[in-house]
Amino acid sequence: MPQRALALAVLCAVSLMVVLDGSIVAVALPAIQNDLGFTPSTLAWVVNAYLIAFAGLLLLSGRLGDLIGRKRVFLAGLGLFTLASLLCGIAQDQAQLIVFRFLQGAGGALASAVVLGMITTLYPEPRARAKAIGVYSFTQAAGSSIGLIAGGTLTQLLDWHWTFFVNLPIGAIALALAVRLLADDRGPGLRGGTDVTGAGLVTGGLMLLVYTIVKAEEYTWSDARTLGLLAVSLLLLAGFVLRQAKAHQPLLPLRIFRLRAVSGANTVMVLMVAGLFGFQFITALYLQRVLELDALSTGFAFLPAPLSIAVMSLVFAERLNHRFGARTVLVTGLSLVTLALGFLATVEADGDYARDVLPALVLMGVGFGAAMPALMGQAMSGVAPADTGVASGLINTTQQIGAAIGTAVLATAAASRTGSLLAGGTAIPEALTSGYRTAYALSAGLLALAVFSATVLLRTRKVQEATVA
């Protein structure tokens, strides 16, 4: 395998490992709860601690890559993620696991934030870059589904500790190869002055925003605590934007938002991931609580989605983007995903997996596998080499914010609908299914907004060509 292709494989393997970790632990949560004595409310922090650190540090990590070198930041993040995975696996109590999950999220942010920027530098040729982004997009699109399969398998055949230990050999091998294969890139360094104030504002604002979103399910969106925390987080982020307009060396140069492809792609990413991440959570509940599948069967029930994504993103995406343009492929792919979610909004309490779920998973995989490479290409098109790290961190940040919003909003909508029906005497399976249908309909609405945004914000021919070029 040529050295450049092997370097791409290392970058994508690490990216896949980090994405997997967001979902692989989800299936193991009941076992973790039983072993360490978590309550239902504290158990959520096994997921939330990782998500808050990961989402909050992505943007800062991307800019650090531009300033001190993307390879350095990548290696530091990979090392921290691997060490934290070991610590999570040997955690003896609740506090240890939550702290180590936060460290794991921080390491994941450092490593993930610079990967897309490194790929665009590694592949400057248009056609080769499009193929490489297709491979990377597969890791982003299919990672969560693969994580559910891996989590169910490891938990059922071994125990929950192995959902963390599985990262150790992958991380160690990737670290050894990355040191040798990835080119050194020094960057201008921190001597010119680092925007410490901006870093504090955006990291604090993003962490508080994600914290507010994940706690909203417990407190409700109308609660004074939720509204107060939301207001503070938005004030911090507004202060960050004002700071970036005046800073000598801004953490996030606002000039990149003048690129229509960048601003439009990040808008579409939030809407798309909000609908799809919530869909995954809701579908897992429907399969287990209504169709009564066990954890392992639930994981494998998702398998058609990553397989369809793999075929589209690895085989057809680059050809489709080259022939029809990224915007056309993106809008078509998102439209297919919207149709799949609309189909799921008709599921019944006496449903059947092969009839009611499988066709939607295949259709969704095809659409998402086509849309994700086109969207990632848009997010990096026209970005100056000095800003590729921050642009990469930005698109990953919007992805995580979308995931947090989607999970919180859709879970709340489903629970509210189910609760009102149960209070009226409706049977449990019918009440649960009605709640899930409500969530699927909301997901379809979010994807429809993503289609509209892609059509309007990415409508010029110039943007389409810049994506391929």
Side-chain angles (χ1 to χ4, degrees), residues 417-439:
R417 174 63 177 166
T418 297
S420 64
L421 289 175
L422 289 174
T426 303
I428 293 177
E430 286 76 14
L432 288 171
T433 304
S434 181
Y436 301 149
R437 283 199 300 265
T438 300

Side-chain angles (χ1 to χ4, degrees), residues 253-342:
L254 299 183
R255 61 179 177 269
I256 70 171
F257 290 106
R258 299 191 191 110
L259 297 170
R260 192 165 187 167
V262 173
S263 55
N266 279 276
T267 300
V268 173
M269 178 63 82
V270 171
L271 294 168
M272 180 183 73
V273 175
L276 286 177
F277 202 87
F279 136 80
Q280 198 169 57
F281 172 76
I282 293 298
T283 302
L285 291 176
Y286 175 71
L287 292 173
Q288 294 188 66
R289 300 179 68 181
V290 177
L291 300 190
E292 298 182 344
L293 300 184
D294 59 27
L296 185 59
S297 298
T298 297
F300 278 99
F302 279 96
L303 186 59
L307 290 178
S308 301
I309 291 171
V311 171
M312 286 303 300
S313 61
L314 301 180
V315 179
F316 296 108
E318 182 272 331
R319 302 178 198 174
L320 292 172
N321 278 287
H322 182 72
R323 181 170 181 179
F324 299 107
R327 172 188 170 275
T328 299
V329 174
L330 175 60
V331 170
T332 302
L334 292 176
S335 298
L336 292 177
V337 175
T338 305
L339 289 174
L341 290 167

Side-chain angles (χ1 to χ4, degrees), residues 29 38-51 98 101 214-215 217-218:
L29 287 177
F38 279 95
T39 65
S41 60
T42 58
L43 183 65
W45 283 101
V46 177
V47 174
N48 294 343
Y50 179 90
L51 179 60
I98 291 172
R101 282 287 282 169
V214 298
K215 292 293 286 183
E217 185 178 352
E218 177 182 343

Side-chain angles (χ1 to χ4, degrees), residues 97-187:
L97 183 57
I98 291 172
V99 169
F100 297 150
R101 282 287 282 169
F102 187 90
L103 292 177
Q104 197 182 28
L110 287 166
S112 299
V114 296
V115 167
L116 188 55
M118 296 176 79
I119 291 173
T120 59
T121 303
L122 192 63
Y123 288 87
E125 311 90 353
R127 294 294 297 273
R129 177 183 292 183
K131 291 180 180 178
I133 288 179
V135 177
Y136 170 76
S137 299
F138 165 73
T139 68
Q140 298 294 295
S144 293
S145 296
I146 296 173
L148 291 172
I149 299 169
T153 303
L154 291 170
T155 302
Q156 196 150 321
L157 298 182
L158 298 170
D159 59 48
W160 66 266
H161 301 275
W162 285 93
T163 61
F164 300 109
F165 289 151
V166 70
N167 295 327
L168 302 183
I170 301 172
I173 294 171
L175 196 60
L177 291 174
V179 170
R180 183 170 63 89
L181 294 172
L182 299 180
D184 291 321
D185 56 324
R186 296 293 179 180

Side-chain angles (χ1 to χ4, degrees), residues 398-458:
T398 55
Q399 188 174 351
Q400 293 304 313
I401 291 173
I405 292 172
T407 301
V409 171
L410 297 180
T412 300
S416 176
R417 174 63 177 166
T418 297
S420 64
L421 289 175
L422 289 174
T426 303
I428 293 177
E430 286 76 14
L432 288 171
T433 304
S434 181
Y436 301 149
R437 283 199 300 265
T438 300
Y440 286 135
L442 285 174
S443 293
L446 289 169
L447 265 295
L449 284 175
V451 172
F452 175 78
S453 298
T455 303
V456 173
L457 299 177
L458 305 173

